[in-house]
């Protein structure tokens, strides 16, 4: 009585696009198969309003069209990645795709097709449609909506995003057949790249990626609003952490990571990068994300963390806090030096300034302090010329911020690192001093101390605005803020 309905028994053209990897297809009776086809309500959503950023993404697509006339442009969202066996990492859509669509749906691909009259492009968003219930895809396919949840129909997605939509399962074949110049953003969708393999070149594709990176240098009002939301949630996340430092002392740095993550996940999409919850000497390891160390009274906690909003804009904020609420004299001396460097850096952020200016301003202050403390021989100009301060300052003083924490990373040197600041850019200013635990060139009491202060700064028409100003920075203000929050502990 039981006919096996397995992937093998489906007709070739009815093959589900992705089988469930666990391969468990229990026997399905004809009656059950028939039952699963029918009896489902029409849930199509009608009269949907476009998402708020739809006009902005349309403007970006128009600019992209103007930059590459007559060429087919393919911008994939990316696919799920296997974590282990049949589990996948949380999906995070490719930044280029999100910026041009406002969408975040896996396996989708934006294509700009040059019009035959030679004027501009037609944009089409290829994506998975609602699951077919007739052929069993709805419940037998690994991407069936019964397993993964309801998707927007193509018509719904078109209304929400303001772009015509089509079935992505037809795209690879169509791209293989197509003629004419084409470029693809690489690194996100191996299937689409394979379909285009004999039509694209690495150099031309890189030009597209560079253009899209530079297109994000200046943020519009919507993006600035999202970045402010990301920062505001991040400020609340830092407050959450201060309130539970006693619990972190009783467990590990993981308590801090988990506490911040709770805020990120409840108010936003995720953290924008792995939180650096670095207590004691871990603060001197720039990318400390193991977060499995002890949290000890008397040490510093360097917390570098950022909430990513539901639209995928991220904050990137660091505070270096005394775990017991009060800096020691040496911790304060080092902290105040970094604060002074950050103040000098922030003051150098204004339209028309060179991007490098804020870095140079902060480095000069840090070099002056290192000379003053006798850690490196002056004069300061010699130290800066030879870069000797870098043994302890380690990294650049900041970077663009947006959909990516290190946004616009493939912009050309002349438009970014050697470029000029303009209103609408958002960047971090994050000087630091790091004395490694095994650094024999500094007095013993310095060893194992790391301090960074990082804020997110918007370049305005007449200077800058610190988006993260709500989080105290000056050492005495940090202490007062911590005292207030820890008094609120239950
Ligand atoms: N959190 C990474 C950075 O500060 O650049
Ligand atoms: Mn950071
Ligand atoms: Mn940063």
């Amino acid at each position: 009585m039981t006919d096996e309905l397995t992937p093998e028994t489906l007709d070739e053209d009815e093959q589900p696009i992705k089988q469930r990897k666990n391969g468990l297809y229990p026997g399905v009776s004809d009656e059950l198969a028939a039952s699963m086809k029918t009896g489902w309500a029409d849930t199509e959503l009608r009269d949907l309003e476009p998402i708020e950023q739809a006009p902005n993404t349309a403007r970006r697509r128009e600019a992209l069209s103007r930059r590459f006339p007559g060429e087919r442009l393919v911008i994939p969202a990316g696919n799920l990645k296997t974590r282990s066996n049949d589990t996948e990492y949380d999906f995070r859509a490719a930044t280029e795709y999100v910026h041009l669509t406002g969408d975040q749906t896996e396996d989708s691909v934006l294509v700009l097709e040059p019009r035959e009259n030679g004027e501009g492009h037609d944009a089409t968003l290829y994506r998975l449609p609602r699951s077919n219930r007739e052929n069993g895809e709805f419940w037998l396919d690994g991407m069936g909506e019964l397993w993964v949840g309801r998707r927007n129909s193509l018509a719904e997605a078109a209304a929400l995003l303001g772009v015509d939509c089509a079935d992505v399962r037809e795209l690879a074949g169509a791209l293989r057949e197509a003629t004419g110049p084409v470029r693809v953003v690489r690194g996100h969708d191996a299937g689409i790249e394979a379909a285009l393999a004999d039509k694209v070149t690495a150099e031309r594709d890189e030009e597209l990626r560079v253009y899209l990176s530079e297109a994000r240098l200046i943020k519009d009002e919507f993006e600035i609003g999202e970045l402010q939301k990301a920062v505001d949630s991040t400020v609340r996340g830092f407050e959450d952490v201060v309130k539970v430092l006693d619990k972190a002392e009783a467990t590990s740095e993981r308590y801090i990571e988990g506490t911040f993550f709770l805020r990120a996940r409840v108010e936003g999409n995720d953290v924008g990068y792995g939180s650096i919850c670095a207590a004691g000497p871990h603060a001197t390891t720039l990318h400390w994300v193991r977060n499995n160390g002890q949290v000890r009274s008397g040490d510093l906690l360097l917390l570098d963390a950022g909430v990513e909003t539901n639209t995928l804009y991220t904050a990137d904020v660091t505070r270096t806090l005394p775990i017991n609420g009060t800096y020691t004299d040496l911790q304060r001396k080092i902290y105040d030096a970094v604060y002074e460097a950050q103040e000098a850096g922030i003051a150098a952020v204004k339209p028309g300034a060179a991007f490098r200016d804020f870095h140079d301003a902060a480095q000069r202050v840090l070099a002056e302090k290192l000379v003053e403390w006798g850690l490196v021989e002056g004069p300061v100009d010699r130290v800066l010329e030879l870069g000797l301060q870098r043994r302890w300052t380690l990294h650049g003083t900041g970077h663009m911020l947006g959909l990516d924490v290190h946004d616009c990373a493939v912009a050309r040197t002349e438009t970014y690192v050697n470029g000029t600041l303009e209103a609408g850019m958002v960047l971090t200013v994050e000087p630091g001093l790091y004395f490694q635990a095994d650094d024999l060139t500094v007095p013993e009491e310095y060893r194992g101390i790391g301090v960074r202060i990082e804020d997110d700064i918007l370049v305005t028409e007449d200077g800058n605005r610190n988006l993260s100003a709500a989080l105290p920075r000056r050492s005495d203000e940090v202490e007062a803020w911590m005292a207030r929050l820890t008094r609120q502990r239950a």
Side-chain angles (χ1 to χ4, degrees), residues 19 49 51 65 86 89 100 124 140 142 148 154 169 190 193 215 224 237 280-281 325 356 368 395 440 465 471:
Q19 313 303 342
E49 292 294 320
I51 57 172
S65 166
D86 59 355
Y89 289 105
L100 290 169
T124 306
L140 293 173
V148 300
L154 299 183
R169 289 171 292 189
E193 285 177 43
I224 292 165
R356 287 180 188 276
E368 283 166 4
H395 55 78
L440 301 181
R465 187 164 90 230
L471 209 51

Side-chain angles (χ1 to χ4, degrees), residues 316 399 406 428 430 454:
D316 180 11
H399 52 83
H406 297 156
T428 68
E430 50 174 311
E454 176 172 27

Side-chain angles (χ1 to χ4, degrees), residues 49-71:
E49 292 294 320
I51 57 172
E52 188 183 344
Q53 67 269 45
N56 311 41
T57 60
R59 273 196 298 278
R60 293 173 199 147
R61 291 191 300 273
E62 280 157 22
L64 173 62
S65 166
R66 284 193 296 276
R67 169 64 182 80
F68 295 101
E71 304 193 34

Side-chain angles (χ1 to χ4, degrees), residues 337-347 362 429 431 453-455 473:
V338 174
Y339 174 79
E340 205 180 301
Q342 199 203 21
E343 285 282 275
I346 293 173
V429 178
I453 313 173
E454 176 172 27
D455 283 80
R473 284 188 298 131

Side-chain angles (χ1 to χ4, degrees), residues 303-345:
L303 176 59
D304 181 345
V307 173
E308 178 187 71
T309 62
N310 289 317
T311 54
L312 305 188
Y313 288 84
T314 189
D316 180 11
V317 174
T318 306
R319 290 292 181 268
T320 307
L321 310 172
I323 289 162
N324 65 13
T326 309
Y327 296 100
T328 66
D329 289 347
L330 180 60
Q331 288 168 351
R332 190 184 309 276
K333 178 175 99 166
I334 298 169
Y335 184 95
D336 288 349
V338 174
Y339 174 79
E340 205 180 301
Q342 199 203 21
E343 285 282 275

Side-chain angles (χ1 to χ4, degrees), residues 58-279:
R59 273 196 298 278
R60 293 173 199 147
R61 291 191 300 273
E62 280 157 22
L64 173 62
S65 166
R66 284 193 296 276
R67 169 64 182 80
F68 295 101
E71 304 193 34
R72 180 175 289 107
L73 306 170
V74 181
I75 300 106
N79 315 118
L80 297 178
K81 289 191 178 55
T82 300
R83 180 175 184 273
S84 181
N85 187 24
D86 59 355
T87 58
E88 281 110 13
Y89 289 105
D90 288 346
F91 178 71
R92 202 285 192 179
T95 287
E96 296 88 348
Y97 175 85
V98 175
H99 194 240
L100 290 169
T101 64
D103 184 44
Q104 302 178 28
T105 310
E106 64 262 30
D107 298 328
S108 302
V109 185
L110 174 69
V111 179
L112 265 59
E113 189 83 24
R115 294 198 185 109
E116 290 194 353
N117 66 7
E119 285 178 23
H121 292 74
D122 290 317
T124 306
L125 220 157
Y126 290 86
R127 50 192 295 126
L128 281 179
R130 299 288 317 275
S131 292
N132 186 327
R133 299 185 191 226
E134 273 297 309
N135 69 1
E137 175 193 59
F138 157 68
W139 64 300
L140 293 173
D141 184 328
M143 290 303 280
E145 289 178 299
L146 189 74
W147 295 95
V148 300
R150 187 188 189 281
R151 285 189 279 275
N152 283 124
S153 69
L154 299 183
E156 289 168 357
L160 288 167
L161 303 172
V163 189
D164 288 343
C165 292
D167 188 336
V168 71
R169 289 171 292 189
E170 289 152 18
L171 179 61
L175 290 175
R176 263 191 214 96
E177 309 272 294
T179 55
V182 55
R183 303 184 196 237
V184 61
V185 177
R186 297 187 179 201
H188 303 299
D189 192 322
I192 293 296
E193 285 177 43
L196 291 169
D198 58 353
K199 303 180 199 295
V200 293
T201 69
E203 194 185 352
R204 284 165 41 78
D205 290 350
E206 186 62 9
E207 281 172 2
L208 173 60
R209 201 165 74 105
V210 168
Y211 168 82
L212 293 173
S213 201
E214 293 181 357
R216 301 198 307 275
L217 278 166
I218 300 197
K219 273 64 184 177
D220 61 32
E221 285 304 315
F222 175 83
E223 294 183 290
I224 292 165
E226 291 301 294
L227 284 165
Q228 185 67 66
K229 276 190 217 164
V231 168
D232 292 347
S233 289
T234 298
V235 170
R236 288 189 280 276
F238 274 67
E239 290 170 353
D240 296 340
V241 165
V242 170
K243 288 183 195 165
V244 301
L245 280 176
D246 55 341
K247 295 197 174 69
E249 281 187 63
T251 53
S252 79
E253 295 164 339
R254 291 277 165 94
Y255 207 97
I256 295 164
E257 180 183 333
T259 300
F260 189 83
F261 182 66
L262 178 63
R263 181 64 70 171
R265 206 52 189 149
V266 169
E267 293 195 0
N269 177 61
D270 203 336
V271 288
Y273 54 93
S275 301
I276 297 167
C277 307

Side-chain angles (χ1 to χ4, degrees), residues 438-459:
D438 57 353
D439 187 346
L440 301 181
T441 72
V442 299
E444 200 171 342
E445 62 269 25
Y446 284 70
R447 296 179 202 160
I449 294 181
V451 173
R452 176 164 66 255
I453 313 173
E454 176 172 27
D455 283 80
D456 300 342
I457 311 292
L458 166 69
V459 184

